[in-house]
Amino acid sequence: MSLSKLFSPSRSAIIAINTFVQLTRMKVFYFLAAFVVLLIAANLIELPNQSFQNPEANDVQVLANIKKWTLGAMSLFSLIFAIVGTALLLPRDVEDRTLYTILAKPVPRLDYLVGKLVGILLLIFVSLLIMDLLMLGMLQYRMNGLITDFSARAAMVNTPLELRELWIEDIREQGPSWLLQASILTIFMKAIVITSVALLLSTFATSTLFTVIMATLIYFVGHFQADAREFWINTQGGGVSQMAKLGSLFVSLIFPDFQLYNVIDATVAGVKITGTAVLKLLGITALYTSIYTVVSWFIFHDKEF
Amino acid sequence: MSRLIKYSIALLVICLFGVLRWPIEENLTQELREENLLMEKVDSTTYEKLGQTGAFVAFGGLRSFVGSFIAMRAHNFFENREWIKLEEAYGMMTVLEPHNLYYWDSGSWQLAYNAYADYENRRDIPAPKRRIMKYFYLEKGIDFLKKGIRQNPHSLRLKKQLVETLTNNYKPNDYKQAIEVLRSITSDSDAPALYRRKLVYCLAHIPVHYEEAFNLAVTLYHEGDYNRTASLVVVIFSLQEALDIPIDQRLTIPQLFKNDKKALREFSSYYNRPDRGFPMQGIREAIIDLEKKLSIPTTESFFRDRSKFMPSHLLEENSIPSSLKRD
């Protein structure tokens, strides 16, 4: 069997674009209205400054709140798209009989699965890009305003220039930065993994609801995977029941480790993420996606409809 | 191939993948924890306090999101003067976001300043209990900051806040602790000069450290104009007197100040604030000498009306200690 019969990037690309268009037709981008409302709300919430030693603290917190809320919304929306969007794909194609037409072409099943996966990831990517641009615009606008106001206040009370510059630097650190883009990239990586999990589930699931529930459960249990792994390692000397050990082993082997992607919280606080860490996370994401896609294909390749 | 066999093989592949990725994930988790990119686990007590919804969201990787809502709740506790609940709220916020400096900063401020001031002014409580409670919250604020510094050892902001709290004029001071904190800041050569100046001021509060204060102050003086603040130059002058530095090795008034009028003004303002705890040796004599030099009549002498050089917030009659009133 030649390679092109097994897998063709161009065929997958066509399926991906069609999937993206199909999902867009479901008017999914209307969620951006909710995102904009959230962005405005984040902008308006400003608690009175409780630290007179650090007068810039309130301004820093305004920008931090905008980032927290919008990154939280991005995480939530990308999770919903990843799980619900993917869960709908195969059942919809079966319902519309599109699947039979495609597979009868013949389009190899691997092409079909990869195309579907890339299509939903394209939707998530475009959504995150739009939300990112909106957030950056708001952050830049707000940061400029805060720095202008702060400089005027500091000049009025004759704050030493040295202190003024330090405080303005604190405000700038919370503004748009490459660090912020790295955290959005980790949100996308997390979405990639959960999408491939949802796709795997949908290859054998009997209903969309089952896929959605199971994928959501896997998402949350995945945040405990690291704890289960540590538990299993730490209890090798004994002291716990065999059932508990087997349970922790099962969780640590089966479920993906979503805790790795929780670097978002630290980056909001201003902790720098290195390029090496980002590359390692990309590597592990690629590993997850590849394995889950191959297993999906294995289950799907001789499934009868 | 039957479905059972197919699903069993799929599960086996996933398990084998799990075994393969185990060391990779373990190492990556350790690396990210060392770089402070992954927070420590939220303890069970905090989860219980978060409630089901909060735990659900925090558990799903949105700790900072939950933290910002608890911050709003903390503000309500501040408005209602519920200091115990406020302390609990800040405890949760800092567990969820240990690297958010704002929470450590404002939390310590709430305890060491706001709660302190609240108990100081509460006439419904007997005076001994007021005293105990205000110092109790001052200690809590300081401990809270120290905990924040342990979690964020490179944070200049929290260290500065700790120094300000330890050296606040309206609270019991601890210059020894403040000096330790400032030494840890200034050990880094990139630390801004204002921290080294602050170290001089703290050292100048303790006679046994006068020599160190003087040497550092002179070093800062020679580094440039930006360091020659009014407080620094007057402290140098006074320390020269206190340490009995030989006349030919001293920095003179023309060297320290632009002109005699400025010198008189700075000495007078400095002399008016003995509450700041700075050394006072030689200051009174310098004022007398400068007034003679500038031919200021006795009727207009600084010692006849010191209020001219008093900071405006101290001009209220009841805020001027009797020692600062007219000689």
Side-chain angles (χ1 to χ4, degrees):
Chain A
M1 190 193 279
S2 72
L3 195 60
S4 64
K5 283 190 179 168
L6 188 60
F7 178 68
S8 162
S10 55
R11 268 199 300 261
S12 296
I14 292 167
I15 295 171
I17 291 167
N18 278 330
T19 305
F20 176 76
V21 170
Q22 182 189 11
L23 288 164
T24 314
R25 281 198 188 121
M26 290 190 216
K27 300 189 177 16
V28 293
F29 288 119
Y30 282 22
F31 84 93
L32 286 170
F35 181 78
V36 168
V37 168
L38 192 79
L39 193 57
I40 294 169
N43 205 22
L44 293 174
I45 289 175
E46 196 172 324
L47 294 174
N49 190 7
Q50 282 133 28
S51 171
F52 295 100
Q53 298 288 359
N54 294 301
E56 92 295 11
N58 203 45
D59 298 340
V60 163
Q61 199 56 15
V62 164
L63 295 176
N65 275 339
I66 293 172
K67 286 197 303 190
K68 277 186 228 182
W69 284 46
T70 48
L71 288 174
M74 283 187 201
S75 287
L76 198 60
F77 287 131
S78 61
L79 175 69
I80 294 170
F81 281 153
I83 294 177
V84 181
T86 313
L88 285 173
L89 290 177
L90 262 62
R92 194 168 254 262
D93 278 358
V94 169
E95 242 177 69
D96 297 344
R97 307 277 196 269
T98 322
L99 184 67
Y100 307 128
T101 319
I102 293 172
L103 297 181
K105 275 246 172 229
V107 170
R109 296 198 179 196
L110 183 60
D111 285 11
Y112 175 78
L113 284 176
V114 170
K116 288 292 174 189
L117 178 67
V118 172
I120 185 82
L121 291 179
L122 197 56
L123 176 77
I124 296 170
F125 177 78
V126 169
S127 307
L128 284 174
L129 184 65
I130 297 171
M131 287 190 280
D132 185 18
L133 290 170
L134 287 169
M135 179 185 66
L136 287 177
M138 178 61 86
L139 271 179
Q140 185 66 43
Y141 169 75
R142 199 68 211 269
M143 183 184 76
N144 290 344
L146 287 170
I147 289 175
T148 308
D149 286 345
F150 178 79
S151 301
R153 287 195 319 263
M156 247 175 23
V157 298
N158 292 322
T159 307
L161 197 64
E162 211 174 1
L163 261 180
R164 232 186 286 182
E165 281 168 11
L166 269 176
W167 285 334
I168 287 174
E169 196 48 45
D170 272 349
I171 298 173
R172 274 195 210 284
E173 268 182 17
Q174 288 296 331
S177 66
W178 286 112
L179 189 63
L180 201 51
Q181 301 311 304
S183 27
I184 296 168
L185 182 60
T186 49
I187 293 174
F188 185 51
M189 285 192 264
K190 205 175 188 180
I192 292 173
V193 176
I194 195 63
T195 305
S196 51
V197 166
L199 187 69
L200 169 59
L201 290 168
S202 66
T203 55
F204 63 85
T206 50
S207 71
T208 310
L209 195 59
F210 174 84
T211 308
V212 170
I213 292 171
M214 289 306 294
T216 310
L217 199 66
I218 290 171
Y219 176 78
F220 283 106
V221 175
H223 284 85
F224 265 146
Q225 192 263 14
D227 299 326
R229 190 173 63 226
E230 268 173 54
F231 179 82
W232 193 84
I233 292 170
N234 294 336
T235 54
Q236 286 312 291
V240 291
S241 67
Q242 282 297 111
M243 283 302 291
K245 279 165 79 169
L246 277 170
S248 65
L249 183 64
F250 175 78
V251 168
S252 51
L253 288 181
I254 301 293
F255 292 84
D257 184 359
F258 283 116
Q259 229 186 86
L260 289 171
Y261 300 99
N262 284 352
V263 296
I264 301 161
D265 287 322
T267 54
V268 169
V271 181
K272 305 260 186 284
I273 182 169
T274 59
T276 317
V278 173
L279 282 172
K280 286 183 181 174
L281 284 170
L282 273 168
I284 201 130
T285 306
L287 211 56
Y288 274 123
T289 313
S290 317
I291 297 294
Y292 290 143
T293 307
V294 165
V295 174
S296 305
W297 170 75
F298 175 71
I299 295 173
F300 190 67
H301 84 283
D302 60 357
K303 185 170 180 171
E304 287 175 13
F305 297 95
Chain B
M1 194 186 296
S2 79
R3 252 197 268 178
L4 183 63
I5 297 172
K6 201 196 304 188
Y7 294 162
S8 304
I9 294 172
L11 194 62
L12 185 66
V13 167
I14 290 173
C15 287
L16 281 172
F17 173 53
V19 171
L20 280 171
R21 63 183 162 88
W22 188 312
I24 302 171
E25 284 174 349
E26 187 62 26
N27 290 336
L28 187 55
T29 304
Q30 287 311 319
E31 270 179 45
L32 294 175
R33 282 207 180 126
E34 277 162 24
E35 288 171 27
N36 289 327
L37 285 165
L38 282 184
M39 316 267 191
E40 292 304 321
K41 287 178 287 188
V42 177
D43 59 79
S44 56
T45 319
T46 307
Y47 266 128
E48 277 169 29
K49 289 177 187 167
L50 281 173
Q52 213 168 23
T53 314
F56 182 77
V57 180
F59 181 23
L62 296 171
R63 287 163 73 147
S64 55
F65 199 46
V66 175
S68 58
F69 280 101
I70 299 176
M72 285 189 231
R73 211 191 292 171
H75 180 73
N76 289 335
F77 294 146
F78 156 70
E79 293 283 356
N80 296 330
R81 309 284 190 264
E82 292 173 293
W83 304 115
I84 296 172
K85 287 182 183 172
L86 179 139
E87 190 189 350
E88 227 175 62
Y90 272 97
M92 277 197 278
M93 284 148 67
T94 50
V95 164
L96 289 171
E97 293 185 78
H99 303 300
N100 186 330
L101 302 179
Y102 176 79
Y103 289 158
W104 294 108
D105 179 356
S106 64
S108 78
W109 178 270
Q110 292 281 22
L111 297 169
Y113 288 81
N114 292 337
Y116 181 97
D118 183 46
Y119 277 105
E120 197 164 47
N121 293 316
R122 284 185 56 178
R123 302 295 166 202
D124 56 319
I125 297 174
K129 188 173 178 186
R130 275 207 316 263
R131 204 181 142 81
I132 290 167
M133 290 309 291
K134 73 179 188 184
Y135 290 141
F136 174 68
Y137 275 101
L138 174 63
E139 281 307 310
K140 275 191 174 287
I142 290 171
D143 288 342
F144 192 75
L145 261 179
K146 285 181 181 174
K147 193 175 167 190
I149 291 169
R150 281 196 295 276
Q151 302 251 17
N152 303 278
H154 302 296
S155 168
L156 279 184
R157 177 170 159 182
L158 294 184
K159 287 179 182 173
K160 177 180 164 288
Q161 175 75 336
L162 180 59
V163 167
E164 299 296 340
T165 308
L166 290 167
T167 59
N168 188 281
N169 281 339
Y170 300 100
K171 291 183 174 45
N173 304 133
D174 189 340
Y175 282 98
K176 280 189 185 159
Q177 264 200 77
I179 287 168
E180 269 176 43
V181 178
L182 282 164
R183 282 198 214 280
S184 74
I185 296 174
T186 55
S187 62
D188 178 3
S189 56
D190 287 335
L194 72 96
Y195 293 107
R196 292 191 294 152
R197 291 199 297 272
K198 187 74 188 179
L199 179 58
V200 167
Y201 303 146
C202 289
L203 289 166
H205 277 82
I206 305 174
V208 76
H209 289 306
Y210 274 179
E211 196 173 340
E212 188 184 345
F214 176 72
N215 291 336
L216 181 58
V218 169
T219 307
L220 290 172
Y221 173 86
H222 287 300
E223 275 180 12
D225 276 343
Y226 59 90
N227 267 331
R228 293 174 192 171
T229 59
S231 298
L232 188 89
V233 296
V234 180
V235 162
I236 288 175
F237 184 89
S238 184
L239 286 173
Q240 283 176 158
E241 197 61 41
L243 292 167
D244 207 18
I245 302 288
I247 303 289
D248 57 338
Q249 288 173 29
R250 293 189 190 193
L251 288 164
T252 59
I253 287 177
Q255 283 174 296
L256 291 170
F257 302 95
K258 283 190 179 133
N259 52 59
D260 288 340
K261 268 190 186 164
K262 187 170 159 67
L264 179 60
R265 196 168 53 245
E266 301 301 350
F267 280 133
S268 304
S269 298
Y270 184 93
Y271 191 76
N272 250 351
R273 296 292 308 276
D275 57 302
R276 291 200 302 178
F278 284 136
M280 286 292 185
Q281 288 88 334
I283 304 296
R284 188 186 167 91
E285 293 77 11
I287 292 173
I288 294 169
D289 288 342
L290 281 166
E291 283 184 343
K292 274 193 193 144
K293 202 172 167 193
L294 292 167
S295 306
I296 290 173
T298 354
T299 48
E300 288 175 34
S301 165
F302 161 76
F303 296 103
R304 297 280 285 187
D305 182 7
R306 292 165 63 172
S307 65
K308 278 189 297 194
F309 298 95
M310 186 73 73
S312 55
H313 69 279
L314 290 182
L315 277 174
E316 297 297 317
E317 186 62 31
N318 59 2
S319 67
I320 305 174
S322 54
S323 60
L324 292 181
K325 292 185 184 168
R326 290 184 188 193
D327 284 340

